[in-house]
Amino acid sequence: MADSTLNPACCARTAVVTGTYTPKGAYEEIAGLNTYTTGPTTSTHAIILIYDVFGLTSQTIQGADRLAAATSALVLVPDFFKGEPIDQDVFPMDTDEKKARATKFMTTKADFREAVSAVLAVRKEAEEKFSRVESWGAFGLCWGGKVTALISGEGTLFKAAGTAHPGRLATEEAERMMIPYCCLFSKEDGTPEQMDAYTKALKNNGQDNLVERYSNMHHGWMGARANLEDEDNVKEYEKGYDQVASFFKKHL
């Protein structure tokens, strides 16, 4: 899928406002970004969690805490958008004005190349700050999944990476991956043909990849669009993060 093509599911829903959740970690500045830090700071393993376009939402913070607890890894969630995620009122993108605002956001604050540079800067500074870390992973939600795909090719500084409900699938990126990659699809992360092609590329690129399709879940079920007051979403949200944790425990 070309970078200019948006998955209709990405454009359809706003984030879900959830109930009260008390984070288990804390915030600190890393590479100039306010970064949520959770898990043991003395761990030898670390994961950079890259959020979706809605930024530091409660569901993503809760996912980071769950991932840290299950892996005993240090998990970092940098605020790449510096407190200014996409405006909720552009969803659904049903007018030209909303589409224009979303396009501006995606080509400025959410530019993928700049995001890759920011992730690498976070990793470099965090490597000095948390000197016991020996292996690094990266996991992304929708927009963040595109970023993790881009940092998993030749010359990667990560040992394993992955995504849930990935955004903007590009089969050639899956073909070029040089590390194990975990891909958890929802039922609507592209056309069936696009998801099938991406799956085939991951299964044939020579890495120990994990691919699964959550056919009963909507795009965003592990990120800001997770409805944690819905029993089915909670069950699959927890299953997804537990599956990701098992993947990183195996490969980091």
Side-chain angles (χ1 to χ4, degrees):
M1 182 185 295
D3 279 356
S4 60
T5 304
L6 280 172
N7 170 12
C10 290
C11 307
R13 304 181 187 92
T14 187
V16 175
V17 178
T18 63
T20 302
Y21 175 73
T22 302
K24 296 177 172 59
Y27 289 87
E28 57 186 289
E29 185 173 307
I30 300 178
L33 299 176
N34 189 33
T35 302
Y36 180 72
T37 305
T38 184
T41 57
T42 56
S43 179
T44 57
H45 311 291
I47 301 166
I48 298 176
L49 175 57
I50 307 171
Y51 54 36
D52 53 33
V53 293
F54 298 106
L56 290 169
T57 63
S58 175
Q59 301 97 313
T60 300
I61 295 301
Q62 189 169 339
D65 285 341
R66 188 175 187 89
L67 192 57
T71 60
S72 297
L74 174 68
V75 178
L76 307 176
V77 192
D79 186 8
F80 298 103
F81 305 145
K82 299 182 178 179
E84 296 180 341
I86 198 167
D87 292 332
Q88 297 252 22
D89 64 0
V90 304
F91 298 95
M93 291 182 204
D94 51 6
T95 68
D96 289 342
E97 186 270 340
K98 289 182 179 181
K99 292 175 183 177
R101 286 164 59 201
T103 297
K104 181 178 180 181
F105 178 83
M106 294 301 300
T107 55
T108 55
K109 291 182 182 177
D111 179 82
F112 290 115
R113 291 177 180 82
E114 290 188 12
V116 167
S117 297
V119 171
L120 297 179
V122 168
R123 187 199 179 284
K124 181 179 180 181
E125 187 168 312
E127 187 175 36
E128 298 172 358
K129 184 177 184 66
F130 306 106
S131 58
R132 295 191 62 180
V133 175
E134 299 172 355
S135 57
W136 287 84
F139 185 72
L141 304 167
C142 187
W143 175 82
K146 179 72 172 182
V147 179
T148 62
L150 291 170
I151 62 175
S152 297
E154 186 175 358
T156 181
L157 299 177
F158 294 86
K159 194 172 180 182
T163 182
H165 39 84
R168 302 198 185 194
L169 299 175
T171 302
E172 61 271 19
E173 292 167 4
E175 293 172 340
R176 293 195 296 261
M177 289 179 183
M178 302 297 292
I179 54 175
Y181 198 80
C182 168
C183 182
L184 304 185
F185 284 115
S186 76
K187 63 183 179 182
E188 53 185 2
D189 297 326
T191 66
E193 293 77 15
Q194 288 167 338
M195 290 191 285
D196 288 345
Y198 202 81
T199 298
K200 182 178 179 181
L202 286 175
K203 290 185 175 180
N204 293 334
N205 71 2
Q207 303 300 322
D208 185 15
N209 301 316
L210 169 66
V211 184
E212 184 165 333
R213 194 169 299 182
Y214 283 64
S215 58
N216 62 332
M217 283 289 103
H218 59 276
H219 179 80
W221 95 93
M222 286 175 63
R225 286 168 165 145
N227 181 0
L228 300 184
E229 296 179 358
D230 177 82
E231 183 177 348
D232 289 337
N233 198 156
V234 170
K235 178 181 177 181
E236 300 296 71
Y237 174 95
E238 292 178 348
K239 176 187 174 183
Y241 276 102
D242 290 348
Q243 192 169 25
V244 171
S246 295
F247 171 82
F248 281 116
K249 285 173 72 174
K250 178 180 180 181
H251 292 291
L252 288 187

